[in-house]
Amino acid sequence: MNKNGNFEIEEVYLNDNKKINSIEKFLYKNDLKLGEEIIKYLTFSVEGEIVATGAIAEGGIIKCVAIDPYYRGEGIVLKLFTELTHLCFDLGFKDLFVYTKPENERIFKDCGCFKIESSSDVILMENSKDLLSNYCNDLKDISKEIKGKKIGSVVLNADPFTLGHQFLIESAASLCDWLHVFVVKEDSAFFSYEDRFNLVKKGISHLDNVTLYEGSRYIISKATFPSYFLKSEKILDNNYAELDLKIFRHYIAPSLNITNRFVGTEPKSPITNKYNQEMKYWFEEAKMDYPKIKVSIIERKTINGEPISASRVRELFKNNEFDKLKLYVPKTTYNFLLENKKN
């Protein structure tokens, strides 16, 4: 704890229940709630009372920023943002995302942040004006030789790659002149990102009109769509879905001339199912200054009437039920799982 002007600045760890409770009450008064995957909170206090707070989430995401109305306009936002930025750098995060309310856009712009996208309740900004544009330019360079009127896309986690994923990609590729496939890059799945990506690469190697991409912070990540990684909650925050889908329609799709997005039916995942519904709205119905994207839902492949799912594969793998498991995955995935068989 140290002094900075009239404010007492403190880093609050998640195991400090008393102080976390005080932060929760302060956020509630400012129409906010405790964030997901927070590493630590930062508070500004005056005479023991919290007057401002912010938090750092996994991946260098600044969120839960709230300031007592009495102290707004006192330069406190810049002070708070500076302290949060220094804390991010100390934690090893340099490329930062900021979540705040839309009415705070100008304030954070003055702090050196740049808008990516917004919903009615949330605006997403980052501390660089070049990262997203550079990423999109890289995509354009990759795809500049690709020809065709119907350019498709698939985004998948593949934890691990199953016959269901393979069927989705094969079906989508057969309906397109070219297909772009993205593998969600967050390394918080059961299998590592490197293994997941390689299994997808091997499982679609027979297709000659597909380009495989690493995921990014701009496509279903903990920054744009954290609800996806909180499966136990079974709740989709519409703000996050809206941001993620707008980013895809605004930036990713134009960079690759994407006209279609393909998804599988989701009978067992409420979050993904709701996300797919939101996708149809934001890609096909919402009026925006960017071309519409056709959403095609492909019936999921089944085994004995049961939809193939990665969760079922993980269950069989954990239980060493390899005779059943081989029915659900391509040979390349099966060999990988066999090599990593648990004793």
Side-chain angles (χ1 to χ4, degrees), residues 181-213:
V181 176
F182 298 87
V183 181
V184 174
K185 196 166 187 177
E186 296 289 353
D187 218 345
S188 59
F190 184 85
F191 295 98
S192 73
Y193 174 72
E194 181 180 2
D195 288 336
R196 290 188 291 111
F197 184 87
N198 287 333
L199 289 175
V200 177
K201 184 177 181 179
K202 292 176 182 178
I204 64 173
S205 61
H206 59 292
L207 301 172
D208 58 9
N209 66 330
V210 176
T211 302
L212 181 63
Y213 300 84

Side-chain angles (χ1 to χ4, degrees), residues 90-279:
D90 289 343
L91 292 168
F93 305 128
K94 294 183 179 180
D95 300 328
L96 311 180
F97 277 154
V98 178
Y99 274 105
T100 188
K101 294 182 178 180
E103 58 264 31
N104 294 334
E105 178 180 356
R106 183 190 61 79
I107 297 173
F108 279 94
K109 185 176 181 181
D110 291 341
C111 293
C113 296
F114 301 86
K115 176 184 174 181
I116 297 178
E117 196 53 82
S118 63
S119 69
S120 57
D121 300 317
V122 175
I123 185 169
L124 176 60
M125 308 180 78
E126 63 181 344
N127 66 333
S128 170
K129 65 179 180 179
D130 298 322
L131 289 176
L132 180 53
S133 60
N134 289 343
Y135 174 66
C136 290
N137 287 334
D138 289 343
L139 293 179
K140 290 177 183 177
D141 287 341
I142 294 171
S143 66
K144 60 186 178 183
E145 301 299 327
I146 294 174
K147 307 297 181 183
K149 292 184 178 180
K150 190 171 184 179
I151 307 298
S153 58
V154 169
V155 180
L156 71 168
N157 195 34
D159 186 29
F161 187 71
T162 69
L163 287 173
H165 296 120
Q166 190 178 64
F167 177 76
L168 171 63
I169 294 173
E170 288 175 340
S171 300
S174 71
L175 297 171
C176 295
D177 297 308
W178 202 268
L179 181 69
H180 300 290
V181 176
F182 298 87
V183 181
V184 174
K185 196 166 187 177
E186 296 289 353
D187 218 345
S188 59
F190 184 85
F191 295 98
S192 73
Y193 174 72
E194 181 180 2
D195 288 336
R196 290 188 291 111
F197 184 87
N198 287 333
L199 289 175
V200 177
K201 184 177 181 179
K202 292 176 182 178
I204 64 173
S205 61
H206 59 292
L207 301 172
D208 58 9
N209 66 330
V210 176
T211 302
L212 181 63
Y213 300 84
E214 292 188 357
S216 78
R217 301 183 79 198
Y218 305 106
I219 304 176
I220 304 187
S221 71
K222 289 182 180 177
T224 63
F225 190 18
S227 301
Y228 180 85
F229 302 93
L230 301 172
K231 301 292 189 182
S232 61
E233 298 212 359
K234 297 184 180 180
I235 296 172
L236 175 67
D237 187 316
N238 288 341
N239 283 301
Y240 290 132
E242 180 179 343
L243 289 172
D244 181 83
L245 295 167
K246 281 183 174 180
I247 290 170
F248 191 89
R249 183 172 171 184
H250 182 179
Y251 298 101
I252 310 302
S255 299
L256 295 171
N257 299 314
I258 290 171
T259 60
N260 295 69
R261 178 117 162 221
F262 295 88
V263 298
T265 53
E266 291 290 347
K268 293 187 176 182
S269 174
I271 287 178
T272 310
N273 188 52
K274 183 65 165 60
Y275 176 73
N276 290 346
Q277 295 174 26
E278 291 290 310
M279 185 187 299

Side-chain angles (χ1 to χ4, degrees), residues 30-68:
N30 288 273
D31 299 319
L32 294 171
K33 60 182 180 180
L34 294 175
E36 304 92 356
E37 298 204 328
I38 299 298
I39 298 173
K40 64 174 65 175
Y41 286 89
L42 191 71
T43 61
F44 279 30
S45 300
V46 174
E47 296 181 355
E49 293 294 324
I50 296 175
V51 298
T53 187
I56 308 297
E58 287 286 351
I61 303 165
I62 296 175
K63 60 200 315 185
C64 300
V65 176
I67 299 170
D68 188 301

Side-chain angles (χ1 to χ4, degrees), residues 66-102:
I67 299 170
D68 188 301
Y70 179 81
Y71 289 91
R72 294 172 190 172
E74 297 293 323
I76 190 172
V77 174
L78 179 58
K79 292 179 181 178
L80 178 62
F81 182 74
T82 299
E83 292 293 334
L84 287 167
T85 300
H86 289 163
L87 182 55
C88 283
F89 290 167
D90 289 343
L91 292 168
F93 305 128
K94 294 183 179 180
D95 300 328
L96 311 180
F97 277 154
V98 178
Y99 274 105
T100 188
K101 294 182 178 180

